[in-house]
Amino acid sequence: MATGKINVSVDNIFPLIKKFLYSDHEIFLRELISNATDATLKLKHLTSIGESKSEYGDPIIEIKIDKEGKKLHVIDQGLGMTEEEVKKYINEVAFSGAEEFLDKYKDSAKDSGIIGHFGLGFYSAFMVAEKVEIITKSHTDAPAVHWSCDGSPNFDLEASDKNTRGTEIILHIAEDSTEFLEKSRITSLLTKYNKFMPIPIKFGMKTETLPKPEGAKEEDKAPTQEVDNIINNPTPAWTKQPADLTDADYKSFYRELYPMQFEEPLFHIHLNVDYPFNLTGILYFPRLSNDMNVQKDRIQLYQNQVYVTDNVEGIVPEFLMMLRGVVDSPDIPLNVSRSYLQADGAVKKISSYITRKVADKLASLFKNNREDFEAKWNDIKIVIEYGMLSEDKFFDKADKFALYPTVDGAFYTFDELQEKVKANQTDKDDKLVILYASDKEAQHSYIEAAKAKGFEVLLLDSPIISHLMQKLESSKENISFARVDADHLDNLIKKEDTQISKLSDEEKDSLKADLESIIANKSYTIQLEAMDSSASPFIITEPEFMRRMKEMQQTGGGGMFGMGNMPEMYNLIVNTNHELVGEILNTKTAKKKERLINQSLDLARLSKGLLKGEELTNFIKRSYDMVK
């Protein structure tokens, strides 16, 4: 038996390993299974090129718990090691790798910005074990060896009677880590990190129900058998060619990724590129609400089928973070901060590729089945609108398929919309005015007034639409968006032919003075306008610019400082050509005039959804008194 010292210069590395990333001690299992997978895949390569005489067969990786003996076993059927290789790879290469890893991250061990904490390798076992043994037999004819270390720099190395190829690592679990002797804890770790590893992983046995034999009675129990409990899917959908997968396969894989999601995804995008970087994956568009909060089930990042994280910020473009699925790339640096990641050239190319693939998929869905695309629009619009705002290249592509629905359920692209409304909705300054509503019910009277004039009204109700309208107005010539309640229609789309007021200037001054003295609420700016006599006598509007700036600030960015906290500002448009306004002007009794003005104002407020609580109760009571 040989004994020796691993490296005299770093006696304190084991306490450091123990201390490192205490909350992340669970990564030891991922690291050991990754090593076992590498050893198996390397053997597969050597046998395929004739450099190993060993029979590859159908190797598996096995995890065993010995709760009484306080041991955890990780067993592979891979390359194995000779005595010299143990000395080289365990005592030198793996050790110096661990040393380098710790040295690099000793100041940032608790930095949540570091992705994955990969690379501690074999020595991560000492985060949870007080002693570690390796029993290994090489795929060559070399004798098996047994290495052990008790968490000090000293190791023992002796011959072993192991007669099968591969490596067994035995962890003697420390008192403060006995959670890793619990079946449920190991199951959860295997599911989290190793669910899609390329080599089958066995963890115990499970009972499988077999079909009943022919002629069996209904009350007869079906026969069962004990089979290996393989916890992973070694060939997940993203590792296959799209041509080999059906729509059902993609949906089945979605359920495998997100077992608690009961709603099917709308569609998927298969990522597959090997130059100038390697990237595979599948992205799914789930049904999305207008709520932009980050979903619970997020895109998962893998590296060579090993789970890394579900925080893909900086790798996947921000506007696609609401999607679900998998991205797998060996070219994404892991042990780096997110700020470094966002500046990395390869990662930028990956992000651009994902953006392009998503845009191309959406364009093809729009082109090949527009009816279906329109049916899905409300479920996907938030991603497309966010993408148009945040990525110029995506904006250019999406401009061809982004839809603008009307209150009547029609859908137009921007070019189609422009063509449809330009004759009727171009003002005297040759500007195209696009009218929209954000709430069909609340703005119903304004919508109906616009439709009566033959105007088209869009229904734009996503939380970021104000930002997108701002971008469209600045990127396209001579267009503006106006919500139907931003002003009266003749002001929203000004034509050459202006209405003539029935009131003289003196009558207007008198009317305005009456209105200002009776209306106590000073948040209304009173405007007298000559409108069609059939239009409402009193209309409450919200100036487009002020309202939009407030909305933009409430959803992040845009607008003047503090505008999000400003009080609501409204215009009270009084139609000087309406019969009721003439009656208010000519009423001699002050009490009747006050009653007419307050009732008319409350009707306008009711139409705008501003009459609430006690004021609404009083209005209803007053209205009943009037009809008695």
Side-chain angles (χ1 to χ4, degrees):
M1 177 170 118
T3 59
K5 207 158 192 173
I6 297 169
N7 187 328
V8 288
S9 68
V10 277
D11 282 15
N12 64 345
I13 191 167
F14 290 97
L16 266 177
I17 289 170
K18 263 293 206 203
K19 192 178 167 188
F20 178 76
L21 278 179
Y22 190 81
S23 62
D24 261 3
H25 276 188
E26 64 179 44
I27 66 166
F28 83 93
L29 192 59
R30 178 195 68 191
E31 295 282 296
L32 296 181
I33 292 177
S34 294
N35 285 353
T37 302
D38 286 346
T40 310
L41 292 175
K42 279 174 185 166
L43 177 68
K44 184 179 185 180
H45 176 67
L46 290 180
T47 54
S48 71
I49 60 171
E51 286 196 16
S52 175
K53 293 177 182 151
S54 187
E55 181 74 33
Y56 182 68
D58 297 306
I60 64 168
I61 294 165
E62 185 173 6
I63 314 299
K64 285 182 179 177
I65 292 174
D66 173 4
K67 200 166 180 179
E68 278 186 29
K70 294 186 178 177
K71 289 185 282 193
L72 181 71
H73 302 248
V74 179
I75 306 159
D76 71 56
Q77 297 162 10
L79 278 175
M81 290 178 283
T82 64
E83 183 177 346
E84 288 310 307
E85 285 169 339
V86 169
K87 287 176 181 173
K88 180 180 176 184
Y89 293 116
I90 301 299
N91 295 349
E92 293 172 25
V93 177
F95 193 83
S96 61
E99 195 181 352
E100 184 186 330
F101 179 91
L102 286 165
D103 186 54
K104 190 174 179 184
Y105 298 113
K106 64 175 184 257
D107 297 325
S108 58
K110 296 194 171 12
D111 176 9
S112 59
I114 302 294
I115 302 163
H117 298 288
F118 274 71
L120 192 49
F122 165 72
Y123 280 91
S124 62
F126 286 97
M127 292 199 292
V128 300
E130 58 190 17
K131 178 183 176 183
V132 179
E133 298 177 70
I134 301 173
I135 302 168
T136 182
K137 180 169 172 59
S138 170
H139 66 107
T140 66
D141 290 331
V145 289
H146 181 178
W147 177 97
S148 63
C149 175
D150 62 0
S152 72
N154 302 309
F155 70 88
D156 294 326
L157 189 59
E158 61 187 356
S160 164
D161 57 4
K162 179 176 168 65
N163 56 16
T164 53
R165 177 198 73 213
T167 299
E168 177 174 5
I169 296 174
I170 304 166
L171 285 74
H172 296 258
I173 300 297
E175 283 301 325
D176 61 358
S177 300
T178 53
E179 64 185 281
F180 299 110
L181 294 170
E182 298 298 330
K183 185 180 177 183
S184 58
R185 182 74 168 110
I186 297 301
T187 299
S188 72
L189 291 184
L190 293 172
T191 305
K192 178 178 178 179
Y193 291 111
N194 308 106
K195 192 174 179 179
F196 301 112
M197 292 287 278
I199 305 298
I201 300 167
K202 175 186 173 182
F203 183 46
M205 304 293 286
K206 66 178 178 182
T207 305
E208 202 172 69
T209 304
L210 299 170
K212 285 184 182 180
E214 211 173 311
K217 295 176 184 171
E218 196 175 326
E219 62 270 19
D220 290 347
K221 286 186 178 176
T224 60
Q225 66 177 14
E226 291 294 298
V227 295
D228 289 349
N229 179 30
I230 303 297
I231 59 90
N232 60 323
N233 171 3
T235 53
W238 84 81
T239 63
K240 299 172 183 175
Q241 290 300 313
D244 298 333
L245 295 165
T246 64
D247 198 44
D249 292 329
Y250 284 108
K251 286 176 180 171
S252 171
F253 179 59
Y254 182 76
R255 286 190 293 274
E256 199 175 344
L257 274 177
Y258 308 110
M260 300 310 290
Q261 279 297 334
F262 303 110
E263 219 170 15
E264 288 196 339
L266 297 168
F267 51 87
H268 63 267
I269 298 158
H270 200 125
L271 309 169
N272 194 349
V273 65
D274 54 18
Y275 182 82
F277 48 81
N278 277 293
L279 176 79
T280 53
I282 299 168
L283 295 180
Y284 292 93
F285 264 76
R287 288 186 190 279
L288 293 167
S289 65
N290 275 349
D291 179 9
M292 289 183 67
N293 292 331
V294 176
Q295 313 284 326
K296 182 173 127 320
D297 292 318
R298 302 191 290 185
I299 294 171
Q300 298 173 9
L301 174 66
Y302 285 75
Q303 193 170 83
N304 296 322
Q305 294 175 238
V306 182
Y307 173 81
V308 179
T309 180
D310 66 355
N311 183 354
V312 291
E313 187 185 340
I315 299 160
V316 171
E318 189 179 355
F319 76 98
L320 297 175
M321 301 273 277
M322 290 176 277
L323 303 190
R324 297 189 179 123
V326 168
V327 172
D328 188 333
S329 174
D331 293 332
I332 296 168
L334 297 177
N335 288 318
V336 295
S337 67
R338 291 196 180 275
S339 56
Y340 175 91
L341 192 73
Q342 284 158 3
D344 184 81
V347 173
K348 279 184 177 173
K349 284 177 186 165
I350 286 171
S351 183
S352 297
Y353 166 78
I354 293 171
T355 300
R356 192 177 78 246
K357 282 290 285 188
V358 169
D360 290 349
K361 175 74 174 189
L362 290 165
S364 93
L365 288 169
F366 172 74
K367 185 181 173 188
N368 297 331
N369 191 344
R370 175 157 179 173
E371 193 180 334
D372 186 51
F373 190 80
E374 288 179 1
K376 288 171 177 164
W377 177 252
N378 275 334
D379 293 312
I380 62 175
K381 66 184 177 188
I382 196 83
V383 172
I384 295 171
E385 289 169 357
Y386 193 7
M388 291 174 77
L389 274 171
S390 57
E391 303 255 345
D392 287 339
K393 284 181 182 172
F394 185 81
F395 179 94
D396 295 339
K397 284 176 178 272
D399 200 28
K400 306 286 190 297
F401 57 72
L403 293 177
Y404 299 86
T406 71
V407 290
D408 296 319
F411 289 86
Y412 300 107
T413 63
F414 192 85
D415 288 347
E416 291 165 351
L417 177 69
Q418 211 167 5
E419 194 59 36
K420 168 94 175 157
V421 304
K422 68 180 179 186
N424 202 23
Q425 290 177 219
T426 302
D427 68 10
K428 64 184 176 64
D429 299 319
D430 209 30
K431 180 172 269 193
L432 182 69
V433 181
I434 298 167
L435 298 178
Y436 72 97
S438 58
D439 186 324
K440 238 170 39 168
E441 299 301 317
Q443 292 145 17
H444 184 267
S445 62
Y446 301 88
I447 293 167
E448 289 305 304
K451 284 165 71 175
K453 283 185 172 279
F455 297 148
E456 196 74 65
V457 182
L458 301 181
L459 180 61
L460 304 177
D461 59 1
S462 83
I464 54 172
I465 199 66
S466 297
H467 297 268
L468 183 59
M469 286 188 290
Q470 205 80 352
K471 176 146 186 167
L472 288 163
E473 286 169 344
S474 62
S475 63
K476 296 182 182 292
E477 285 184 15
N478 271 355
I479 68 137
S480 70
F481 285 83
R483 203 166 82 179
V484 281
D485 60 350
D487 206 335
H488 77 83
L489 288 165
D490 294 344
N491 269 356
L492 289 178
I493 305 175
K494 281 190 166 139
K495 304 282 186 179
E496 293 294 354
D497 49 332
T498 52
Q499 289 272 355
I500 296 165
S501 177
K502 290 180 181 178
L503 305 185
S504 67
D505 288 347
E506 291 82 7
E507 286 174 319
K508 283 194 232 173
D509 289 342
S510 172
L511 175 64
K512 192 163 187 182
D514 286 341
L515 291 165
E516 286 175 343
S517 68
I518 290 168
I519 296 172
N521 190 334
K522 300 305 173 195
S523 66
Y524 296 110
T525 303
I526 297 167
Q527 290 175 219
L528 304 185
E529 300 278 357
M531 295 157 62
D532 195 293
S533 59
S534 63
S536 298
F538 282 32
I539 303 169
I540 292 172
T541 64
E542 278 184 271
E544 179 74 16
F545 175 77
M546 298 289 282
R547 194 207 74 250
R548 203 192 292 181
M549 290 300 110
K550 275 177 70 71
E551 287 173 355
M552 286 170 69
Q553 194 164 74
Q554 283 159 4
T555 52
M560 300 170 201
F561 180 75
M563 192 169 275
N565 298 319
M566 278 182 64
E568 304 288 352
M569 299 296 290
Y570 299 101
N571 291 334
L572 174 60
I573 313 285
V574 179
N575 180 4
T576 59
N577 289 342
H578 196 282
E579 186 182 349
L580 177 63
V581 174
E583 188 183 339
I584 289 170
L585 178 69
N586 296 318
T587 296
K588 304 301 180 195
T589 316
K591 196 168 183 182
K592 184 182 177 186
K593 184 174 283 198
E594 184 177 346
R595 183 168 53 89
L596 284 172
I597 288 172
N598 283 332
Q599 191 71 1
S600 301
L601 174 63
D602 281 351
L603 282 165
R605 291 173 71 203
L606 189 66
S607 174
K608 186 79 175 79
L610 296 173
L611 203 58
K612 294 170 184 171
E614 187 182 354
E615 289 180 321
L616 178 58
T617 305
N618 292 339
F619 168 77
I620 293 168
K621 186 173 182 298
R622 193 168 67 239
S623 299
Y624 278 132
D625 290 342
M626 289 172 71
V627 296
K628 276 179 184 174

